[in-house]
Amino acid sequence: MSVKVLFVCLGNICRSPISQGVFEDVLRREGLEGEVEVDSAGTGSYHIGDVPDARATKSAAGRGIKLGSQRARQLALEDCDRFDYILVMDRQNYEAAAATCRGKRAELRLFMEYAPDLPDTEVPDPYFGGDGGFERAMDLAEAASEGLVEDIRRQHLGQRV
Ligand code: 4NP
């Protein structure tokens, strides 16, 4: 049975698609793509069915990562039991996801908890800013993805890291 990871932001068109793309890339590099299932969702409903923001797609493509097959969806109650990890980009969305998932199985955390060496505790919303926010989101997602892979190896795959 594979480990299931869900990334959550507000719109599901910027930060969580970036995080999914980056984390899937790390999994491929580590030879773990068959062991971990990855998805993303938004706490908001504004962008349901939309492709990722063009700026997110461009930033990811600059690092050889394709986001094209992703479509935005809203976090649903079923997600709270289906996923092992629900990793949220900021506190506002943490509160929203916690309200949806209260008492459910998934481990709900800020994604940046997996990059404890960085001072950042949130991935800031890049939607209303320039391209720099998207590059920053990529950098933060790369750092936290490394820590997340280690945690999955340790907690779920019985590997020493
Ligand atoms: P995301 O960014 O939560 O990283 O996908 C946003 C996308 C859309 C909006 C806000 C943030 N919006 O207000 O429509």
Side-chain angles (χ1 to χ4, degrees), residues 85-124:
Y85 294 81
I86 297 184
L87 302 175
V88 181
M89 299 299 138
D90 60 27
R91 287 184 185 79
Q92 179 198 332
N93 287 295
Y94 183 93
E95 293 306 325
T100 300
C101 292
R102 186 151 294 136
K104 299 294 182 179
R105 182 178 82 90
E107 172 115 357
L108 182 66
R109 286 179 183 273
L110 286 169
F111 185 28
M112 289 312 294
E113 285 184 33
Y114 293 95
D117 295 342
L118 295 185
D120 310 75
T121 57
E122 301 184 312
V123 181

PDB file of all heavy atoms in Angstrom, residues 85-124:
ATOM      1  N   TYR A  85      -0.604  12.123   4.763  1.00  0.00           N
ATOM      2  CA  TYR A  85      -0.092  13.468   5.055  1.00  0.00           C
ATOM      3  C   TYR A  85      -0.951  14.491   4.309  1.00  0.00           C
ATOM      4  O   TYR A  85      -1.149  14.360   3.090  1.00  0.00           O
ATOM      5  CB  TYR A  85       1.322  13.662   4.520  1.00  0.00           C
ATOM      6  CG  TYR A  85       2.407  12.830   5.143  1.00  0.00           C
ATOM      7  CD1 TYR A  85       2.604  11.510   4.757  1.00  0.00           C
ATOM      8  CD2 TYR A  85       3.296  13.392   6.063  1.00  0.00           C
ATOM      9  CE1 TYR A  85       3.643  10.749   5.295  1.00  0.00           C
ATOM     10  CE2 TYR A  85       4.335  12.641   6.590  1.00  0.00           C
ATOM     11  CZ  TYR A  85       4.497  11.321   6.206  1.00  0.00           C
ATOM     12  OH  TYR A  85       5.535  10.578   6.723  1.00  0.00           O
ATOM     13  N   ILE A  86      -1.416  15.500   5.035  1.00  0.00           N
ATOM     14  CA  ILE A  86      -2.016  16.660   4.376  1.00  0.00           C
ATOM     15  C   ILE A  86      -1.136  17.849   4.752  1.00  0.00           C
ATOM     16  O   ILE A  86      -1.050  18.229   5.924  1.00  0.00           O
ATOM     17  CB  ILE A  86      -3.484  16.860   4.789  1.00  0.00           C
ATOM     18  CG1 ILE A  86      -4.317  15.650   4.333  1.00  0.00           C
ATOM     19  CG2 ILE A  86      -4.037  18.159   4.178  1.00  0.00           C
ATOM     20  CD1 ILE A  86      -5.806  15.762   4.596  1.00  0.00           C
ATOM     21  N   LEU A  87      -0.437  18.397   3.761  1.00  0.00           N
ATOM     22  CA  LEU A  87       0.615  19.393   4.012  1.00  0.00           C
ATOM     23  C   LEU A  87       0.183  20.741   3.450  1.00  0.00           C
ATOM     24  O   LEU A  87      -0.040  20.891   2.248  1.00  0.00           O
ATOM     25  CB  LEU A  87       1.920  18.910   3.387  1.00  0.00           C
ATOM     26  CG  LEU A  87       2.342  17.544   3.945  1.00  0.00           C
ATOM     27  CD1 LEU A  87       3.557  17.021   3.231  1.00  0.00           C
ATOM     28  CD2 LEU A  87       2.568  17.620   5.448  1.00  0.00           C
ATOM     29  N   VAL A  88       0.066  21.690   4.364  1.00  0.00           N
ATOM     30  CA  VAL A  88      -0.588  22.953   4.064  1.00  0.00           C
ATOM     31  C   VAL A  88       0.463  24.064   3.965  1.00  0.00           C
ATOM     32  O   VAL A  88       1.490  24.029   4.639  1.00  0.00           O
ATOM     33  CB  VAL A  88      -1.634  23.229   5.167  1.00  0.00           C
ATOM     34  CG1 VAL A  88      -2.371  24.503   4.909  1.00  0.00           C
ATOM     35  CG2 VAL A  88      -2.614  22.058   5.239  1.00  0.00           C
ATOM     36  N   MET A  89       0.200  25.049   3.103  1.00  0.00           N
ATOM     37  CA  MET A  89       1.209  26.063   2.776  1.00  0.00           C
ATOM     38  C   MET A  89       1.316  27.197   3.796  1.00  0.00           C
ATOM     39  O   MET A  89       2.382  27.781   3.961  1.00  0.00           O
ATOM     40  CB  MET A  89       0.932  26.669   1.386  1.00  0.00           C
ATOM     41  CG  MET A  89       0.974  25.650   0.281  1.00  0.00           C
ATOM     42  SD  MET A  89       2.582  24.853   0.149  1.00  0.00           S
ATOM     43  CE  MET A  89       2.067  23.157  -0.115  1.00  0.00           C
ATOM     44  N   ASP A  90       0.191  27.540   4.435  1.00  0.00           N
ATOM     45  CA  ASP A  90       0.251  28.644   5.402  1.00  0.00           C
ATOM     46  C   ASP A  90      -0.791  28.430   6.502  1.00  0.00           C
ATOM     47  O   ASP A  90      -1.604  27.503   6.430  1.00  0.00           O
ATOM     48  CB  ASP A  90       0.098  30.010   4.722  1.00  0.00           C
ATOM     49  CG  ASP A  90      -1.223  30.159   3.981  1.00  0.00           C
ATOM     50  OD1 ASP A  90      -2.216  29.499   4.358  1.00  0.00           O
ATOM     51  OD2 ASP A  90      -1.264  30.933   3.014  1.00  0.00           O
ATOM     52  N   ARG A  91      -0.742  29.301   7.487  1.00  0.00           N
ATOM     53  CA  ARG A  91      -1.599  29.108   8.666  1.00  0.00           C
ATOM     54  C   ARG A  91      -3.076  29.294   8.356  1.00  0.00           C
ATOM     55  O   ARG A  91      -3.921  28.604   8.901  1.00  0.00           O
ATOM     56  CB  ARG A  91      -1.167  30.048   9.799  1.00  0.00           C
ATOM     57  CG  ARG A  91       0.121  29.597  10.430  1.00  0.00           C
ATOM     58  CD  ARG A  91       0.558  30.430  11.621  1.00  0.00           C
ATOM     59  NE  ARG A  91       1.869  29.944  12.026  1.00  0.00           N
ATOM     60  CZ  ARG A  91       3.008  30.255  11.417  1.00  0.00           C
ATOM     61  NH1 ARG A  91       2.999  31.087  10.385  1.00  0.00           N
ATOM     62  NH2 ARG A  91       4.143  29.741  11.823  1.00  0.00           N
ATOM     63  N   GLN A  92      -3.355  30.236   7.470  1.00  0.00           N
ATOM     64  CA  GLN A  92      -4.755  30.474   7.100  1.00  0.00           C
ATOM     65  C   GLN A  92      -5.364  29.182   6.526  1.00  0.00           C
ATOM     66  O   GLN A  92      -6.467  28.768   6.902  1.00  0.00           O
ATOM     67  CB  GLN A  92      -4.806  31.592   6.047  1.00  0.00           C
ATOM     68  CG  GLN A  92      -6.211  31.921   5.559  1.00  0.00           C
ATOM     69  CD  GLN A  92      -6.179  32.680   4.235  1.00  0.00           C
ATOM     70  OE1 GLN A  92      -5.219  33.393   3.942  1.00  0.00           O
ATOM     71  NE2 GLN A  92      -7.216  32.526   3.442  1.00  0.00           N
ATOM     72  N   ASN A  93      -4.617  28.541   5.642  1.00  0.00           N
ATOM     73  CA  ASN A  93      -5.124  27.314   5.043  1.00  0.00           C
ATOM     74  C   ASN A  93      -5.034  26.128   5.999  1.00  0.00           C
ATOM     75  O   ASN A  93      -5.815  25.189   5.893  1.00  0.00           O
ATOM     76  CB  ASN A  93      -4.402  27.035   3.722  1.00  0.00           C
ATOM     77  CG  ASN A  93      -4.872  27.998   2.652  1.00  0.00           C
ATOM     78  OD1 ASN A  93      -6.035  27.968   2.261  1.00  0.00           O
ATOM     79  ND2 ASN A  93      -3.992  28.885   2.232  1.00  0.00           N
ATOM     80  N   TYR A  94      -4.102  26.211   6.946  1.00  0.00           N
ATOM     81  CA  TYR A  94      -4.055  25.181   7.997  1.00  0.00           C
ATOM     82  C   TYR A  94      -5.374  25.197   8.782  1.00  0.00           C
ATOM     83  O   TYR A  94      -5.970  24.143   9.023  1.00  0.00           O
ATOM     84  CB  TYR A  94      -2.878  25.422   8.933  1.00  0.00           C
ATOM     85  CG  TYR A  94      -2.754  24.349   9.992  1.00  0.00           C
ATOM     86  CD1 TYR A  94      -1.942  23.237   9.786  1.00  0.00           C
ATOM     87  CD2 TYR A  94      -3.494  24.416  11.172  1.00  0.00           C
ATOM     88  CE1 TYR A  94      -1.858  22.233  10.736  1.00  0.00           C
ATOM     89  CE2 TYR A  94      -3.415  23.419  12.123  1.00  0.00           C
ATOM     90  CZ  TYR A  94      -2.591  22.336  11.898  1.00  0.00           C
ATOM     91  OH  TYR A  94      -2.526  21.338  12.839  1.00  0.00           O
ATOM     92  N   GLU A  95      -5.813  26.397   9.157  1.00  0.00           N
ATOM     93  CA  GLU A  95      -7.059  26.512   9.926  1.00  0.00           C
ATOM     94  C   GLU A  95      -8.246  25.983   9.122  1.00  0.00           C
ATOM     95  O   GLU A  95      -9.102  25.279   9.660  1.00  0.00           O
ATOM     96  CB  GLU A  95      -7.308  27.968  10.335  1.00  0.00           C
ATOM     97  CG  GLU A  95      -6.306  28.521  11.337  1.00  0.00           C
ATOM     98  CD  GLU A  95      -6.167  27.664  12.600  1.00  0.00           C
ATOM     99  OE1 GLU A  95      -7.172  27.083  13.054  1.00  0.00           O
ATOM    100  OE2 GLU A  95      -5.041  27.553  13.119  1.00  0.00           O
ATOM    101  N   ALA A  96      -8.270  26.319   7.838  1.00  0.00           N
ATOM    102  CA  ALA A  96      -9.376  25.873   6.983  1.00  0.00           C
ATOM    103  C   ALA A  96      -9.361  24.346   6.839  1.00  0.00           C
ATOM    104  O   ALA A  96     -10.404  23.685   6.943  1.00  0.00           O
ATOM    105  CB  ALA A  96      -9.280  26.537   5.609  1.00  0.00           C
ATOM    106  N   ALA A  97      -8.174  23.773   6.619  1.00  0.00           N
ATOM    107  CA  ALA A  97      -8.070  22.319   6.454  1.00  0.00           C
ATOM    108  C   ALA A  97      -8.374  21.614   7.776  1.00  0.00           C
ATOM    109  O   ALA A  97      -9.016  20.555   7.788  1.00  0.00           O
ATOM    110  CB  ALA A  97      -6.676  21.943   5.956  1.00  0.00           C
ATOM    111  N   ALA A  98      -7.945  22.220   8.890  1.00  0.00           N
ATOM    112  CA  ALA A  98      -8.205  21.611  10.204  1.00  0.00           C
ATOM    113  C   ALA A  98      -9.706  21.577  10.478  1.00  0.00           C
ATOM    114  O   ALA A  98     -10.221  20.611  11.052  1.00  0.00           O
ATOM    115  CB  ALA A  98      -7.477  22.390  11.297  1.00  0.00           C
ATOM    116  N   ALA A  99     -10.417  22.607  10.037  1.00  0.00           N
ATOM    117  CA  ALA A  99     -11.871  22.636  10.229  1.00  0.00           C
ATOM    118  C   ALA A  99     -12.534  21.526   9.412  1.00  0.00           C
ATOM    119  O   ALA A  99     -13.445  20.844   9.895  1.00  0.00           O
ATOM    120  CB  ALA A  99     -12.423  24.000   9.824  1.00  0.00           C
ATOM    121  N   THR A 100     -12.049  21.305   8.192  1.00  0.00           N
ATOM    122  CA  THR A 100     -12.607  20.240   7.345  1.00  0.00           C
ATOM    123  C   THR A 100     -12.262  18.862   7.904  1.00  0.00           C
ATOM    124  O   THR A 100     -13.094  17.956   7.904  1.00  0.00           O
ATOM    125  CB  THR A 100     -12.052  20.361   5.904  1.00  0.00           C
ATOM    126  OG1 THR A 100     -12.422  21.631   5.388  1.00  0.00           O
ATOM    127  CG2 THR A 100     -12.596  19.266   4.991  1.00  0.00           C
ATOM    128  N   CYS A 101     -11.035  18.717   8.390  1.00  0.00           N
ATOM    129  CA  CYS A 101     -10.514  17.381   8.747  1.00  0.00           C
ATOM    130  C   CYS A 101     -10.543  17.086  10.248  1.00  0.00           C
ATOM    131  O   CYS A 101      -9.880  16.139  10.699  1.00  0.00           O
ATOM    132  CB  CYS A 101      -9.090  17.214   8.220  1.00  0.00           C
ATOM    133  SG  CYS A 101      -9.008  17.136   6.422  1.00  0.00           S
ATOM    134  N   ARG A 102     -11.270  17.857  11.003  1.00  0.00           N
ATOM    135  CA  ARG A 102     -11.283  17.665  12.456  1.00  0.00           C
ATOM    136  C   ARG A 102     -11.600  16.207  12.825  1.00  0.00           C
ATOM    137  O   ARG A 102     -12.564  15.630  12.346  1.00  0.00           O
ATOM    138  CB  ARG A 102     -12.340  18.596  13.080  1.00  0.00           C
ATOM    139  CG  ARG A 102     -12.353  18.581  14.584  1.00  0.00           C
ATOM    140  CD  ARG A 102     -12.814  19.913  15.146  1.00  0.00           C
ATOM    141  NE  ARG A 102     -11.860  20.972  14.842  1.00  0.00           N
ATOM    142  CZ  ARG A 102     -12.189  22.193  14.406  1.00  0.00           C
ATOM    143  NH1 ARG A 102     -13.433  22.497  14.202  1.00  0.00           N
ATOM    144  NH2 ARG A 102     -11.255  23.077  14.159  1.00  0.00           N
ATOM    145  N   GLY A 103     -10.731  15.599  13.646  1.00  0.00           N
ATOM    146  CA  GLY A 103     -10.978  14.235  14.126  1.00  0.00           C
ATOM    147  C   GLY A 103     -10.683  13.146  13.113  1.00  0.00           C
ATOM    148  O   GLY A 103     -10.919  11.977  13.370  1.00  0.00           O
ATOM    149  N   LYS A 104     -10.152  13.506  11.953  1.00  0.00           N
ATOM    150  CA  LYS A 104      -9.884  12.504  10.912  1.00  0.00           C
ATOM    151  C   LYS A 104      -8.441  12.014  11.005  1.00  0.00           C
ATOM    152  O   LYS A 104      -7.619  12.516  11.745  1.00  0.00           O
ATOM    153  CB  LYS A 104     -10.169  13.084   9.524  1.00  0.00           C
ATOM    154  CG  LYS A 104     -11.617  13.503   9.347  1.00  0.00           C
ATOM    155  CD  LYS A 104     -12.534  12.293   9.387  1.00  0.00           C
ATOM    156  CE  LYS A 104     -13.983  12.699   9.154  1.00  0.00           C
ATOM    157  NZ  LYS A 104     -14.873  11.557   9.164  1.00  0.00           N
ATOM    158  N   ARG A 105      -8.136  11.021  10.141  1.00  0.00           N
ATOM    159  CA  ARG A 105      -6.910  10.259  10.274  1.00  0.00           C
ATOM    160  C   ARG A 105      -5.642  11.000   9.842  1.00  0.00           C
ATOM    161  O   ARG A 105      -4.569  10.822  10.435  1.00  0.00           O
ATOM    162  CB  ARG A 105      -7.074   9.014   9.390  1.00  0.00           C
ATOM    163  CG  ARG A 105      -5.945   8.035   9.390  1.00  0.00           C
ATOM    164  CD  ARG A 105      -6.308   6.868   8.497  1.00  0.00           C
ATOM    165  NE  ARG A 105      -6.068   7.159   7.098  1.00  0.00           N
ATOM    166  CZ  ARG A 105      -4.912   6.919   6.489  1.00  0.00           C
ATOM    167  NH1 ARG A 105      -3.907   6.410   7.164  1.00  0.00           N
ATOM    168  NH2 ARG A 105      -4.766   7.189   5.219  1.00  0.00           N
ATOM    169  N   ALA A 106      -5.746  11.815   8.816  1.00  0.00           N
ATOM    170  CA  ALA A 106      -4.544  12.371   8.178  1.00  0.00           C
ATOM    171  C   ALA A 106      -3.714  13.198   9.150  1.00  0.00           C
ATOM    172  O   ALA A 106      -4.234  13.865  10.033  1.00  0.00           O
ATOM    173  CB  ALA A 106      -4.935  13.239   6.991  1.00  0.00           C
ATOM    174  N   GLU A 107      -2.401  13.130   8.947  1.00  0.00           N
ATOM    175  CA  GLU A 107      -1.470  13.989   9.677  1.00  0.00           C
ATOM    176  C   GLU A 107      -1.468  15.346   8.971  1.00  0.00           C
ATOM    177  O   GLU A 107      -1.062  15.456   7.821  1.00  0.00           O
ATOM    178  CB  GLU A 107      -0.092  13.325   9.583  1.00  0.00           C
ATOM    179  CG  GLU A 107       1.011  14.146  10.113  1.00  0.00           C
ATOM    180  CD  GLU A 107       1.649  13.496  11.332  1.00  0.00           C
ATOM    181  OE1 GLU A 107       1.175  12.428  11.770  1.00  0.00           O
ATOM    182  OE2 GLU A 107       2.602  14.077  11.831  1.00  0.00           O
ATOM    183  N   LEU A 108      -1.978  16.358   9.666  1.00  0.00           N
ATOM    184  CA  LEU A 108      -2.099  17.688   9.078  1.00  0.00           C
ATOM    185  C   LEU A 108      -0.974  18.565   9.597  1.00  0.00           C
ATOM    186  O   LEU A 108      -0.837  18.748  10.811  1.00  0.00           O
ATOM    187  CB  LEU A 108      -3.464  18.266   9.476  1.00  0.00           C
ATOM    188  CG  LEU A 108      -3.845  19.638   8.949  1.00  0.00           C
ATOM    189  CD1 LEU A 108      -4.004  19.614   7.439  1.00  0.00           C
ATOM    190  CD2 LEU A 108      -5.149  20.100   9.596  1.00  0.00           C
ATOM    191  N   ARG A 109      -0.152  19.071   8.686  1.00  0.00           N
ATOM    192  CA  ARG A 109       1.002  19.889   9.089  1.00  0.00           C
ATOM    193  C   ARG A 109       1.259  21.004   8.092  1.00  0.00           C
ATOM    194  O   ARG A 109       0.880  20.904   6.926  1.00  0.00           O
ATOM    195  CB  ARG A 109       2.281  19.034   9.111  1.00  0.00           C
ATOM    196  CG  ARG A 109       2.382  18.088  10.253  1.00  0.00           C
ATOM    197  CD  ARG A 109       3.664  17.296  10.129  1.00  0.00           C
ATOM    198  NE  ARG A 109       3.760  16.324  11.188  1.00  0.00           N
ATOM    199  CZ  ARG A 109       4.277  16.576  12.394  1.00  0.00           C
ATOM    200  NH1 ARG A 109       4.775  17.758  12.668  1.00  0.00           N
ATOM    201  NH2 ARG A 109       4.317  15.638  13.313  1.00  0.00           N
ATOM    202  N   LEU A 110       1.982  22.028   8.555  1.00  0.00           N
ATOM    203  CA  LEU A 110       2.538  23.007   7.624  1.00  0.00           C
ATOM    204  C   LEU A 110       3.667  22.313   6.859  1.00  0.00           C
ATOM    205  O   LEU A 110       4.527  21.663   7.472  1.00  0.00           O
ATOM    206  CB  LEU A 110       3.096  24.208   8.392  1.00  0.00           C
ATOM    207  CG  LEU A 110       2.069  25.167   8.991  1.00  0.00           C
ATOM    208  CD1 LEU A 110       2.771  26.141   9.937  1.00  0.00           C
ATOM    209  CD2 LEU A 110       1.301  25.926   7.923  1.00  0.00           C
ATOM    210  N   PHE A 111       3.676  22.441   5.531  1.00  0.00           N
ATOM    211  CA  PHE A 111       4.691  21.785   4.703  1.00  0.00           C
ATOM    212  C   PHE A 111       6.097  22.191   5.161  1.00  0.00           C
ATOM    213  O   PHE A 111       7.016  21.371   5.195  1.00  0.00           O
ATOM    214  CB  PHE A 111       4.442  22.172   3.239  1.00  0.00           C
ATOM    215  CG  PHE A 111       5.315  21.491   2.222  1.00  0.00           C
ATOM    216  CD1 PHE A 111       5.849  20.226   2.441  1.00  0.00           C
ATOM    217  CD2 PHE A 111       5.576  22.110   1.000  1.00  0.00           C
ATOM    218  CE1 PHE A 111       6.640  19.597   1.477  1.00  0.00           C
ATOM    219  CE2 PHE A 111       6.360  21.499   0.036  1.00  0.00           C
ATOM    220  CZ  PHE A 111       6.890  20.249   0.272  1.00  0.00           C
ATOM    221  N   MET A 112       6.268  23.466   5.543  1.00  0.00           N
ATOM    222  CA  MET A 112       7.604  23.958   5.887  1.00  0.00           C
ATOM    223  C   MET A 112       8.159  23.334   7.176  1.00  0.00           C
ATOM    224  O   MET A 112       9.350  23.503   7.476  1.00  0.00           O
ATOM    225  CB  MET A 112       7.633  25.482   5.958  1.00  0.00           C
ATOM    226  CG  MET A 112       7.516  26.172   4.597  1.00  0.00           C
ATOM    227  SD  MET A 112       8.611  25.497   3.320  1.00  0.00           S
ATOM    228  CE  MET A 112      10.203  25.942   4.005  1.00  0.00           C
ATOM    229  N   GLU A 113       7.339  22.607   7.927  1.00  0.00           N
ATOM    230  CA  GLU A 113       7.884  21.888   9.096  1.00  0.00           C
ATOM    231  C   GLU A 113       8.935  20.861   8.665  1.00  0.00           C
ATOM    232  O   GLU A 113       9.777  20.453   9.468  1.00  0.00           O
ATOM    233  CB  GLU A 113       6.769  21.172   9.863  1.00  0.00           C
ATOM    234  CG  GLU A 113       5.916  22.119  10.679  1.00  0.00           C
ATOM    235  CD  GLU A 113       4.874  21.390  11.511  1.00  0.00           C
ATOM    236  OE1 GLU A 113       5.151  20.258  11.972  1.00  0.00           O
ATOM    237  OE2 GLU A 113       3.781  21.956  11.665  1.00  0.00           O
ATOM    238  N   TYR A 114       8.905  20.469   7.379  1.00  0.00           N
ATOM    239  CA  TYR A 114       9.879  19.489   6.887  1.00  0.00           C
ATOM    240  C   TYR A 114      11.175  20.141   6.409  1.00  0.00           C
ATOM    241  O   TYR A 114      12.053  19.440   5.900  1.00  0.00           O
ATOM    242  CB  TYR A 114       9.238  18.598   5.810  1.00  0.00           C
ATOM    243  CG  TYR A 114       8.169  17.727   6.423  1.00  0.00           C
ATOM    244  CD1 TYR A 114       6.845  18.109   6.410  1.00  0.00           C
ATOM    245  CD2 TYR A 114       8.511  16.566   7.107  1.00  0.00           C
ATOM    246  CE1 TYR A 114       5.871  17.350   7.030  1.00  0.00           C
ATOM    247  CE2 TYR A 114       7.553  15.792   7.734  1.00  0.00           C
ATOM    248  CZ  TYR A 114       6.235  16.185   7.695  1.00  0.00           C
ATOM    249  OH  TYR A 114       5.283  15.435   8.326  1.00  0.00           O
ATOM    250  N   ALA A 115      11.267  21.455   6.560  1.00  0.00           N
ATOM    251  CA  ALA A 115      12.538  22.157   6.294  1.00  0.00           C
ATOM    252  C   ALA A 115      12.931  22.912   7.556  1.00  0.00           C
ATOM    253  O   ALA A 115      12.976  24.148   7.566  1.00  0.00           O
ATOM    254  CB  ALA A 115      12.385  23.102   5.108  1.00  0.00           C
ATOM    255  N   PRO A 116      13.237  22.183   8.642  1.00  0.00           N
ATOM    256  CA  PRO A 116      13.462  22.842   9.933  1.00  0.00           C
ATOM    257  C   PRO A 116      14.702  23.740   9.963  1.00  0.00           C
ATOM    258  O   PRO A 116      14.828  24.564  10.860  1.00  0.00           O
ATOM    259  CB  PRO A 116      13.604  21.662  10.910  1.00  0.00           C
ATOM    260  CG  PRO A 116      14.006  20.507  10.066  1.00  0.00           C
ATOM    261  CD  PRO A 116      13.368  20.723   8.724  1.00  0.00           C
ATOM    262  N   ASP A 117      15.590  23.568   8.988  1.00  0.00           N
ATOM    263  CA  ASP A 117      16.787  24.416   8.968  1.00  0.00           C
ATOM    264  C   ASP A 117      16.515  25.805   8.388  1.00  0.00           C
ATOM    265  O   ASP A 117      17.352  26.703   8.497  1.00  0.00           O
ATOM    266  CB  ASP A 117      17.908  23.759   8.144  1.00  0.00           C
ATOM    267  CG  ASP A 117      18.386  22.476   8.802  1.00  0.00           C
ATOM    268  OD1 ASP A 117      18.115  22.295  10.013  1.00  0.00           O
ATOM    269  OD2 ASP A 117      19.007  21.657   8.112  1.00  0.00           O
ATOM    270  N   LEU A 118      15.368  25.971   7.747  1.00  0.00           N
ATOM    271  CA  LEU A 118      15.017  27.285   7.198  1.00  0.00           C
ATOM    272  C   LEU A 118      14.178  28.060   8.214  1.00  0.00           C
ATOM    273  O   LEU A 118      13.411  27.455   8.969  1.00  0.00           O
ATOM    274  CB  LEU A 118      14.205  27.128   5.903  1.00  0.00           C
ATOM    275  CG  LEU A 118      14.902  26.485   4.707  1.00  0.00           C
ATOM    276  CD1 LEU A 118      13.987  26.535   3.481  1.00  0.00           C
ATOM    277  CD2 LEU A 118      16.206  27.185   4.403  1.00  0.00           C
ATOM    278  N   PRO A 119      14.298  29.392   8.214  1.00  0.00           N
ATOM    279  CA  PRO A 119      13.480  30.197   9.134  1.00  0.00           C
ATOM    280  C   PRO A 119      12.009  30.269   8.705  1.00  0.00           C
ATOM    281  O   PRO A 119      11.146  30.595   9.517  1.00  0.00           O
ATOM    282  CB  PRO A 119      14.127  31.582   9.057  1.00  0.00           C
ATOM    283  CG  PRO A 119      14.816  31.621   7.743  1.00  0.00           C
ATOM    284  CD  PRO A 119      15.236  30.206   7.437  1.00  0.00           C
ATOM    285  N   ASP A 120      11.743  29.946   7.440  1.00  0.00           N
ATOM    286  CA  ASP A 120      10.373  30.081   6.916  1.00  0.00           C
ATOM    287  C   ASP A 120       9.457  29.017   7.510  1.00  0.00           C
ATOM    288  O   ASP A 120       9.814  27.841   7.527  1.00  0.00           O
ATOM    289  CB  ASP A 120      10.373  29.895   5.389  1.00  0.00           C
ATOM    290  CG  ASP A 120      11.415  30.759   4.711  1.00  0.00           C
ATOM    291  OD1 ASP A 120      12.615  30.404   4.809  1.00  0.00           O
ATOM    292  OD2 ASP A 120      11.033  31.756   4.116  1.00  0.00           O
ATOM    293  N   THR A 121       8.277  29.438   7.949  1.00  0.00           N
ATOM    294  CA  THR A 121       7.295  28.451   8.430  1.00  0.00           C
ATOM    295  C   THR A 121       6.123  28.333   7.468  1.00  0.00           C
ATOM    296  O   THR A 121       5.289  27.446   7.621  1.00  0.00           O
ATOM    297  CB  THR A 121       6.774  28.824   9.832  1.00  0.00           C
ATOM    298  OG1 THR A 121       6.217  30.145   9.769  1.00  0.00           O
ATOM    299  CG2 THR A 121       7.900  28.783  10.856  1.00  0.00           C
ATOM    300  N   GLU A 122       6.062  29.243   6.490  1.00  0.00           N
ATOM    301  CA  GLU A 122       4.975  29.214   5.511  1.00  0.00           C
ATOM    302  C   GLU A 122       5.548  29.386   4.100  1.00  0.00           C
ATOM    303  O   GLU A 122       6.612  29.977   3.936  1.00  0.00           O
ATOM    304  CB  GLU A 122       3.995  30.366   5.747  1.00  0.00           C
ATOM    305  CG  GLU A 122       3.362  30.367   7.125  1.00  0.00           C
ATOM    306  CD  GLU A 122       2.318  31.472   7.279  1.00  0.00           C
ATOM    307  OE1 GLU A 122       2.617  32.628   6.917  1.00  0.00           O
ATOM    308  OE2 GLU A 122       1.220  31.158   7.746  1.00  0.00           O
ATOM    309  N   VAL A 123       4.802  28.901   3.097  1.00  0.00           N
ATOM    310  CA  VAL A 123       5.104  29.250   1.704  1.00  0.00           C
ATOM    311  C   VAL A 123       4.172  30.415   1.373  1.00  0.00           C
ATOM    312  O   VAL A 123       2.953  30.226   1.283  1.00  0.00           O
ATOM    313  CB  VAL A 123       4.842  28.064   0.750  1.00  0.00           C
ATOM    314  CG1 VAL A 123       5.200  28.462  -0.681  1.00  0.00           C
ATOM    315  CG2 VAL A 123       5.622  26.824   1.181  1.00  0.00           C
ATOM    316  N   PRO A 124       4.723  31.639   1.222  1.00  0.00           N
ATOM    317  CA  PRO A 124       3.843  32.805   1.026  1.00  0.00           C
ATOM    318  C   PRO A 124       3.063  32.727  -0.289  1.00  0.00           C
ATOM    319  O   PRO A 124       3.573  32.213  -1.291  1.00  0.00           O
ATOM    320  CB  PRO A 124       4.825  33.979   0.999  1.00  0.00           C
ATOM    321  CG  PRO A 124       6.084  33.476   1.618  1.00  0.00           C
ATOM    322  CD  PRO A 124       6.136  32.010   1.303  1.00  0.00           C
TER     323      PRO A 124
END
